[in-house]
Amino acid sequence: MNKQPWRDRILPDLFLCVFLVSTMIPLLFSGNAKMIWTGAGGRYQGLKMWLFYAAAYLMIRHTVSEKSIRLCICFMLLGGGISAVWGIADFAGIDPMGWIAAIKESQRGMFVSSYGNINTYTAAMTLFMAIAGVLSVQNRTADKDYKRIFKLVYRTLFFLFCIAMITGLSDNAAIGILAFFAITAFICRDITEILALFRLVQILLLAGATLFCYVNLFSGPVSPYINIQSGILLALALKKEIFQCCICIIVWLEMVRQILHRMRTQEKRVLRLWRGLLIGTTICCGLCVIEILILANTGHVASEAIQKYTRFNDQWGTWRGFVWRIAAEEYANLPIWQKLFGTGLETFGIVMKSTRYDEMLSVAGQVFDSPHNEILQYLFTSGMIGCFSLYAWYILTCIYAIRSQDKSAVCAVAVLVYICVSFVNISVPMTQVYIIVLVALMGQKSARPISDLKVP
């Protein structure tokens, strides 16, 4: 068994320790000790919960066996699959568990499956989609029969999770899907993985085409409590022009796959072209996004549809622009020690109610207990030191896992994709527990990649 480098084993744990220590300082000096400890002022992720998270992380990291890893990944995908079917059934108006019927009628369109809010549901589906997707791309076992069977399983699950994310009606799903394909494209190491990634693009487009046929051609049942035009992905999927484009792109990608398949003998050349194409595409897309944002925020874009997503004001992102603005203003007013160590875990709502209560009601008509941005949330509640340490723990573990020869990128890609989605989402126990488990699995001492392990 190969030994992990010292920094791989110790450095991430040190950042976790710094985060936990930094969150204890507001507990002692802020005057909200009980709320910081329990997290009752927010989503119950106070210091007590984070100590449980840390204990679980250390136990998983230092005690798991290969069999335990196999079972953990298997149960994650199984649970995700069940949740996806449940959510899709809710979209179709079936409500298999009677969950929707128990919710206030005016709010039934906002809740999906047992995860509750559509944004939390989408964040969870993003994790499962990334796990299934990377497993289908990096399935490197030498057993051809096993590879064929389980690639089919992973691709079927990927299709299911794509359907679930689109029907979840959260615009955050678009960020998750784009982040998944961008990150996975950069870690492809040979033509086989590039071909597998193209297959996943085809599956995503097939998911959109399937929903078009379900709603428009077969007039399948849809829950009366939701607006099918409220989610950007579903609204696009239901357009006839987009459906036709999806079919054309699926056929075109299959032609590209066949060409690449015949170029296996020139793999080094193909990989050089692939990396150059990725870098060039990234630069061009980045410049285009910057230009659109500048034009939209200087009044030079007339399209309301584009302005809805690119013009930043208080109404942007269902009042995310407003809550981000007041969070930044309140953070700037904090004393220096709170800028460094924060106001205390889950105290964002407490601070805002004491300083911006009337403004929140008059502008947005609601009171926010979270900034709907995990990075901003942890910057505000755990300070510069705590926020930097937390994300250093996440990202360093992911980098070491991707670069290591004896580790899988499965968990790393899932965590990185989740971080991208968390930029517009709330940190809640329903999804945070998955992140802790995935980070722990990346740090475990097994020398075999997770993608090589046979799922029973």
Side-chain angles (χ1 to χ4, degrees):
M1 180 180 291
N2 298 327
K3 292 184 178 180
Q4 291 175 298
W6 177 87
R7 67 175 186 177
D8 293 34
R9 290 183 286 112
I10 302 299
L11 194 55
D13 289 0
L14 288 178
F15 277 115
L16 174 59
C17 290
V18 172
F19 169 74
L20 292 174
V21 171
S22 69
T23 58
M24 293 178 184
I25 293 176
L27 183 75
L28 301 174
F29 301 107
S30 71
N32 289 314
K34 182 177 180 180
M35 290 297 186
I36 294 171
W37 176 252
T38 63
R43 305 304 169 103
Y44 295 94
Q45 290 192 115
L47 183 56
K48 178 175 69 174
M49 181 68 81
W50 267 100
L51 291 175
F52 280 121
Y53 286 156
Y57 162 78
L58 292 173
M59 285 189 291
I60 294 171
R61 174 170 183 176
H62 295 287
T63 63
V64 294
S65 62
E66 289 185 1
K67 183 177 180 180
S68 299
I69 298 169
R70 293 199 303 267
L71 290 174
C72 187
I73 295 296
C74 181
F75 279 118
M76 273 193 182
L77 291 177
L78 177 62
I82 294 172
S83 299
V85 172
W86 184 347
I88 295 168
D90 285 342
F91 169 79
I94 299 174
D95 193 14
M97 302 295 179
W99 172 269
I100 303 299
I103 299 173
K104 189 183 297 184
E105 187 170 349
S106 61
Q107 298 182 352
R108 289 178 183 176
M110 298 171 54
F111 292 89
V112 183
S113 90
S114 60
Y115 284 93
N117 184 278
I118 58 174
N119 293 324
T120 305
Y121 172 77
T122 298
M125 292 301 109
T126 298
L127 286 171
F128 302 136
M129 177 203 68
I131 293 172
V134 179
L135 281 171
S136 68
V137 169
Q138 294 193 339
N139 189 2
R140 291 176 168 270
T141 178
D143 187 335
K144 292 185 179 180
D145 291 334
Y146 163 77
K147 179 185 291 188
R148 190 176 296 112
I149 293 171
F150 279 94
K151 274 204 170 184
L152 178 61
V153 172
Y154 298 142
R155 287 170 178 171
T156 302
L157 286 171
F158 185 83
F159 175 81
L160 182 65
F161 296 138
C162 287
I163 294 285
M165 291 179 71
I166 296 172
T167 56
L169 299 177
S170 171
D171 292 342
N172 299 354
I175 299 175
I177 290 172
L178 288 173
F180 166 75
F181 282 106
I183 294 169
T184 308
F186 274 100
I187 66 171
C188 287
R189 292 171 287 185
D190 54 39
I191 289 181
T192 301
E193 293 185 355
I194 296 173
L195 292 174
L197 183 62
F198 282 175
R199 181 68 77 197
L200 293 185
V201 177
Q202 291 176 304
I203 292 172
L204 171 63
L205 296 175
L206 180 62
T210 301
L211 286 170
F212 174 86
C213 294
Y214 174 79
V215 175
N216 292 335
L217 300 185
F218 304 122
S219 300
V222 176
S223 171
Y225 302 109
I226 66 172
N227 177 9
I228 59 176
Q229 297 297 323
S230 62
I232 183 173
L233 293 180
L234 185 60
L236 288 173
L238 297 183
K239 292 182 180 297
K240 184 178 179 180
E241 297 82 0
I242 299 296
F243 170 74
Q244 293 170 342
C245 287
C246 286
I247 300 302
C248 292
I249 295 173
I250 290 173
V251 174
W252 178 77
L253 283 175
E254 188 59 33
M255 294 169 61
V256 173
R257 291 185 76 256
Q258 295 305 317
I259 293 171
L260 288 176
H261 186 75
R262 291 180 173 86
M263 295 178 66
R264 287 179 179 273
T265 56
Q266 305 176 50
E267 185 167 64
K268 291 184 178 179
R269 180 185 176 188
V270 172
L271 288 176
R272 284 197 299 270
L273 290 172
W274 174 251
R275 288 163 186 155
L277 180 63
L278 286 178
I279 294 171
T281 302
T282 301
I283 293 172
C284 291
C285 289
L287 292 174
C288 288
V289 169
I290 292 172
E291 182 177 7
I292 291 172
L293 291 176
I294 292 173
L295 292 175
N297 287 277
T298 54
H300 291 86
V301 175
S303 172
E304 292 185 7
I306 295 177
Q307 285 191 0
K308 177 182 177 182
Y309 296 101
T310 58
R311 187 175 183 180
F312 291 99
N313 51 32
D314 282 355
Q315 291 80 26
W316 182 85
T318 319
W319 299 109
R320 281 175 174 79
F322 168 71
V323 71
W324 291 3
R325 175 177 63 80
I326 63 175
E329 291 172 356
E330 288 302 316
Y331 180 80
N333 294 330
L334 294 176
I336 186 64
W337 76 269
Q338 286 191 319
K339 283 187 172 73
L340 293 175
F341 299 104
T343 59
L345 293 174
E346 298 289 18
T347 57
F348 180 86
I350 297 172
V351 174
M352 287 300 156
K353 286 176 184 177
S354 65
T355 59
R356 302 281 185 140
Y357 184 82
D358 292 336
E359 184 180 358
M360 287 190 288
L361 287 180
S362 63
V363 174
Q366 58 183 305
V367 177
F368 294 94
D369 62 2
S370 166
H372 289 263
N373 179 325
E374 287 193 25
I375 299 172
L376 184 57
Q377 176 180 338
Y378 283 109
L379 176 64
F380 195 96
T381 60
S382 64
M384 293 181 187
I385 294 175
C387 183
F388 175 81
S389 300
L390 177 64
Y391 284 93
W393 174 47
Y394 288 160
I395 295 171
L396 274 180
T397 307
C398 292
I399 292 173
Y400 293 155
I402 291 173
R403 293 178 60 184
S404 176
Q405 296 299 315
D406 58 6
K407 290 215 171 25
S408 167
V410 176
C411 300
V413 172
V415 172
L416 291 174
V417 170
Y418 177 84
I419 290 174
C420 294
V421 175
S422 71
F423 187 70
V424 289
N425 216 354
I426 301 172
S427 178
V428 294
M430 289 287 284
T431 50
Q432 187 64 41
V433 66
Y434 289 117
I435 299 300
I436 300 301
V437 171
L438 290 171
V439 174
L441 291 178
M442 281 189 278
Q444 55 77 35
K445 298 181 179 180
S446 170
R448 294 179 62 195
I450 294 175
S451 55
D452 285 357
L453 300 176
K454 295 185 179 182
V455 181

